[in-house]
Amino acid sequence: MTALYYLLGVVIFVVAILASIGLHELGHMIPAKRFGGKVTQYFIGFGPTVWSKQVGETEYGVKAIPLGGYVKIVGMLPPGAHELADEVTVDAAGNTVTRVRKSNTGMFTQLISDARAAEWELVGPEDNDRLFYKMASWKKIVVMAGGPTVNLLIAFFIFWGVFATYGQQSVEVVKGAPVISTVSECVIPFTEEGRDCTAQDPPSPAFEAGLRPGDQVTTFNGVAVTDWEQLRELIRDNAAGDATIAYVRDGQQLSGTTSTTVEARPTSETDETLREVGFLGVTPEVEIVTTTGGPIYTLDQMGDMTVETVKALATLPVKVFDVAQAIVGLEERDPEGPVSIVGGGRLAGETVSSDQFPVTEKTVYLLMLIAGFNFFIGMFNFLPLLPLDGGHIASAAWEWARRGIARLRRRPDPGYVDAAKLLPIAYVVASAMLVMGVVLIIGDLVVPLSLQG
């Protein structure tokens, strides 16, 4: 039965992601068609075609590898400079027919001319007024932004539903006079936290002072203590100095003396930069706080997620390299690191098959997992790099801007931005994405992340 539940979790996650991919591509296709563009293909997946059906001028279908999708919009690349045209003729109906040369000199120019030639092999005389590159710049931006925007909207509505009903749980220090939750028996460097004490580790100042869980600290070196943040700062500022601590235990007023030690600790809960500060060896009592909210609260939370996602994207290659090192056994895999769709499926399977969580929590976790993937996909696709949607958006925005500048300066129209010239960069980015994707998939198979850590 556990295996069946595990499979159910994987299927739910995969179907949800495939549905998200399908909606993403609809976000491109619908505005493209509304603006008069010609869409010849709409596919979910890559590789060999599993099923397809021709409806009007568009072929709809599913391919074998469910790791993405695409829509084919005719005329993404302009024919290029006049010298690239091998032959320009007029057919019987009076339409201009452009044939683009399929070869050139130099590796990069060869790539560009071949891609341009392949693009224009699909363009017929009847498509002259429906080519994507001829659309107004703002229409191109709408078409290319439609896909990732759909992913962000999916994430928004899922987050909103969860935040408005189940709420968002956070761990907060109990307000009021600080009550000790745990006392470290020894001093363990911050970078080694989580391991047990050894004979070589010195006893912690708190343990030496006789402090125990449940003690309520009242004064530190004669200074009355009203909350945990104040106590934390007093300890840190004490460096390696003597410390007299008064506390209440079972209604009795007691005190102990010790000397705090200097340790490298995070600057704050949000800043993990290490600095030398006084260390006692206690943690505060905490409580689970549930916060609910509507669309404004959801947008605020997604704003914070955006900041964290941008930071994650900036370090993604490094994080993937760490996964590669974990695969060959050079280091442990970071539980907060990136995962592929395979890893997401495994986590979904563990969630559904686990007997440690009630159904409500399982449902919420699955929804948040799906929303998180959609949020990341949306943000990732907005990166201003080809072949991502953001690269096409940036190209169209630059076209719009330089035409506007030309009008203001009463200069001739500079024409369309030739995205084909950026194809060498697109090939490099696509290759990097492929390598990172393969590394993450292998990592999720060899050294997978688990709910149990």
Side-chain angles (χ1 to χ4, degrees):
M1 185 62 72
T2 299
L4 288 176
Y5 281 132
Y6 185 95
L7 180 61
L8 175 63
V10 172
V11 169
I12 290 173
F13 177 78
V14 171
V15 169
I17 295 302
L18 289 177
S20 299
I21 292 171
L23 292 171
H24 172 107
E25 300 306 335
L26 284 177
H28 292 309
M29 186 180 74
I30 292 174
K33 288 196 170 190
R34 287 289 180 88
F35 294 147
K38 183 177 181 180
V39 180
T40 57
Q41 288 184 317
Y42 169 95
F43 273 88
I44 297 175
F46 299 112
T49 299
V50 176
W51 169 87
S52 71
K53 182 178 181 180
Q54 189 75 28
V55 180
E57 64 185 13
T58 306
E59 180 187 11
Y60 298 85
V62 177
K63 290 184 177 287
I65 305 173
L67 296 178
Y70 69 93
V71 292
K72 175 60 181 175
I73 306 173
V74 171
M76 293 287 289
L77 303 177
H82 200 62
E83 62 270 16
L84 291 175
D86 195 35
E87 182 182 2
V88 180
T89 59
V90 178
D91 65 9
N95 298 307
T96 300
V97 179
T98 304
R99 297 185 183 280
V100 181
R101 199 162 58 237
K102 293 186 178 182
S103 62
N104 213 317
T105 58
M107 181 179 68
F108 290 147
T109 50
Q110 181 72 51
L111 288 173
I112 293 170
S113 62
D114 286 353
R116 206 188 302 274
E119 177 81 14
W120 278 77
E121 283 179 356
L122 303 174
V123 178
E126 71 280 2
D127 301 325
N128 188 56
D129 296 327
R130 304 184 63 191
L131 302 176
F132 179 80
Y133 84 90
K134 287 187 175 182
M135 284 186 187
S137 301
W138 69 268
K139 291 183 179 180
K140 296 180 190 177
I141 293 174
V142 171
V143 171
M144 300 315 299
T149 299
V150 167
N151 291 116
L152 295 181
L153 286 173
I154 292 171
F156 169 76
F157 284 111
I158 293 177
F159 285 140
W160 180 8
V162 171
F163 293 156
T165 54
Y166 183 80
Q168 188 174 27
Q169 295 184 339
S170 58
V171 178
E172 296 184 8
V173 175
V174 175
K175 295 181 180 179
V179 176
I180 296 173
S181 175
T182 63
V183 176
S184 301
E185 294 186 10
C186 65
V187 178
I188 297 177
F190 178 76
T191 54
E192 300 176 25
E193 279 193 345
R195 69 169 174 82
D196 295 331
C197 293
T198 66
Q200 288 72 39
D201 296 320
S204 74
F207 191 76
E208 287 186 322
L211 293 173
R212 297 294 180 266
D215 293 346
Q216 183 183 65
V217 179
T218 55
T219 66
F220 184 89
N221 281 342
V223 178
V225 178
T226 58
D227 58 41
W228 180 261
E229 187 58 33
Q230 180 195 11
L231 175 61
R232 181 173 178 270
E233 291 304 314
L234 289 171
I235 294 170
R236 287 178 162 237
D237 293 341
N238 199 55
D242 295 335
T244 301
I245 306 166
Y247 55 93
V248 176
R249 179 185 297 166
D250 298 329
Q252 289 186 306
Q253 185 71 47
L254 304 172
S255 67
T257 58
T258 187
S259 295
T260 53
T261 186
V262 174
E263 281 289 308
R265 315 299 290 182
T267 302
S268 67
E269 292 182 3
T270 57
D271 184 356
E272 294 189 357
T273 304
L274 300 182
R275 68 183 181 93
E276 300 286 333
V277 293
F279 175 77
L280 184 63
V282 293
T283 62
E285 267 196 355
V286 296
E287 58 184 347
I288 304 296
V289 177
T290 300
T291 305
T292 58
I296 302 301
Y297 174 82
T298 302
L299 289 173
D300 182 61
Q301 294 302 303
M302 290 180 71
D304 294 338
M305 293 177 202
T306 300
V307 174
E308 295 305 313
T309 301
V310 170
K311 292 179 182 177
L313 287 172
T315 60
L316 183 60
V318 176
K319 296 289 187 182
V320 174
F321 180 74
D322 290 340
V323 174
Q325 289 191 303
I327 291 172
V328 297
L330 295 178
E331 63 177 68
E332 295 292 326
R333 186 166 181 185
D334 181 4
E336 301 298 324
V339 297
S340 68
I341 188 173
V342 173
R346 295 189 69 145
L347 291 174
E350 282 190 32
T351 300
V352 174
S353 62
S354 174
D355 57 2
Q356 299 180 9
F357 311 108
V359 174
T360 300
E361 289 190 9
K362 290 181 180 181
T363 303
V364 168
Y365 182 86
L366 278 177
L367 287 172
M368 295 298 280
L369 186 64
I370 294 165
F373 262 80
N374 272 280
F375 186 79
F376 183 83
I377 291 170
M379 292 294 296
F380 184 74
N381 270 282
F382 270 120
L383 288 176
L385 295 170
L386 288 175
L388 299 173
D389 298 328
H392 293 285
I393 294 170
S395 177
W398 170 237
E399 178 181 287
W400 196 357
R402 74 174 190 168
R403 280 182 155 173
I405 293 171
R407 283 195 298 271
L408 289 174
R409 300 177 66 181
R410 296 182 179 179
R411 297 284 182 84
D413 185 348
Y416 304 105
V417 167
D418 188 3
K421 294 179 179 179
L422 299 176
L423 284 177
I425 297 175
Y427 293 140
V428 172
V429 173
S431 298
M433 289 168 53
L434 177 62
V435 170
M436 289 192 292
V438 170
V439 169
L440 289 179
I441 290 173
I442 294 174
D444 290 332
L445 293 173
V446 178
V447 283
L449 296 181
S450 172
L451 293 178
Q452 283 73 40

